[in-house]
Amino acid sequence: MKLPYLLTILAATSLLSGCFETRKNTDQLCENEPKLNCSSLNINDGQCRVARTDLIWHRNEMLNDPSEANQVKDYHLLKEYRKCLELASQIQPIEQADLKSKRFNALMYSIEEQDRITRELANSTSPETLYFLWSETGSHAAKRRFLAMENTGALDTGSMQYALATHYISRDKLKTYRLLNRSLELSKGGKEVNKEVIKSLASVTQSLDRPRESYLWAMVGKEFEVPIASDSELRLLFGLTEEDYQLLNDQAERVAKLIDNGSYTSDSILER
């Protein structure tokens, strides 16, 4: 047997055993923890196994840590499972006549669980939870309470400054610009860098008629692997001099490094 073929067989065997092991562990978890209510999640269905497994194991973690942040995560995992079930419920089972009914019941359960979570979180005072309720469910009450926190210091985190910016984007471009910059200043960098902030800065500065800064943020985005237009398209869009492009490309590298290591300040960019 050729070595590459043997390696392929071994890799496939390893993946299959890992899959079976995960399934076995999840089945055992469901048997040991009746509070997880796995039967309502149609545990024996081959469809939506990944989304269902992620949900079950997260719910097991929640038995020890039923925090609001974990409830929000539970909602999103339910959302993924629900999307999968909506597709799976359209598949006509061949061997099991009641499988389609079980999928439908699991779908209804996931919807009811999402509703339950939003009801339980309705009286939250956490800005992160309020933003979730506003952005995910359209709660006007949560939006009002979130915006009321603007000048209290409760929103002084990178993620909440970005959340606040999403409210002002169509109302006040200059304020949006300041909030986006503040979001980057409060970011600790690394995996916490929100690429949407950088993309938004490129867009907002273009709206503010700041082509040089808009190009700068586009290049910063490129440093973080944000898809952007080709060099020729960018030159047509911005119409700057070659000297400007070189200067801004160099500065974009420096700004990206500052953002990545969590030491960015709005003074790091060129004079506007």
Side-chain angles (χ1 to χ4, degrees), residues 10-222:
L10 290 173
T13 303
S14 176
L15 288 172
L16 285 173
S17 65
C19 177
F20 289 139
E21 186 64 25
T22 299
R23 172 64 187 276
K24 180 181 178 182
N25 289 342
T26 303
D27 288 346
Q28 189 65 52
L29 176 66
C30 287
E31 184 177 334
N32 294 339
E33 290 290 355
K35 291 180 181 179
L36 296 176
N37 198 16
C38 294
S39 59
S40 296
L41 295 170
N42 198 18
I43 188 67
N44 294 317
D45 191 356
Q47 296 290 328
C48 306
R49 183 174 297 169
V50 173
R52 182 172 58 245
T53 299
D54 290 344
L55 176 59
I56 289 171
W57 282 94
H58 174 67
R59 289 191 150 191
N60 183 57
E61 294 176 11
M62 286 184 65
L63 293 177
N64 295 320
D65 182 17
S67 63
E68 288 190 6
N70 271 336
Q71 285 181 281
V72 170
K73 184 176 179 180
D74 190 40
Y75 180 97
H76 287 299
L77 289 172
L78 281 162
K79 184 178 179 180
E80 289 303 308
Y81 183 48
R82 174 179 170 180
K83 287 195 310 188
C84 181
L85 282 171
E86 286 171 347
L87 293 174
S89 63
Q90 300 172 28
I91 300 173
Q92 185 63 46
I94 297 175
E95 298 179 355
Q96 300 182 43
D98 65 338
L99 187 53
K100 190 168 186 177
S101 175
K102 289 181 179 179
R103 287 175 183 167
F104 179 78
N105 290 338
L107 174 60
M108 291 299 100
Y109 174 75
S110 66
I111 293 172
E112 290 166 2
E113 283 293 275
Q114 284 184 287
D115 290 341
R116 175 188 60 77
I117 291 170
T118 55
R119 288 196 304 272
E120 290 182 359
L121 295 177
N123 295 321
S124 172
T125 57
S126 161
E128 290 81 7
T129 302
L130 291 173
Y131 180 66
F132 156 74
L133 291 170
W134 161 28
S135 60
E136 188 69 36
T137 72
S139 169
H140 294 295
K143 179 180 179 179
R144 286 194 299 271
R145 286 155 59 200
F146 176 85
L147 294 176
M149 296 179 174
E150 182 175 351
N151 297 314
T152 67
L155 304 183
D156 288 346
T157 66
S159 60
M160 291 300 95
Q161 289 293 290
Y162 173 71
L164 196 55
T166 64
H167 170 70
Y168 285 105
I169 185 66
S170 61
R171 297 171 173 81
D172 188 335
K173 291 290 193 298
L174 193 56
K175 183 169 184 175
T176 300
Y177 171 81
R178 290 195 294 266
L179 289 167
L180 292 171
N181 262 287
R182 184 60 179 152
S183 175
L184 288 180
E185 290 177 335
L186 292 170
S187 171
K188 295 180 181 178
K191 293 182 179 180
E192 287 193 16
V193 174
N194 185 351
K195 296 179 183 180
E196 292 301 317
V197 174
I198 299 171
K199 290 164 62 176
S200 297
L201 277 165
S203 176
V204 168
T205 47
Q206 180 75 358
S207 299
L208 291 170
D209 195 24
R210 298 177 180 177
R212 297 176 78 251
E213 193 174 348
S214 181
Y215 177 82
L216 170 68
W217 285 114
M219 290 299 100
V220 172
K222 186 178 181 180

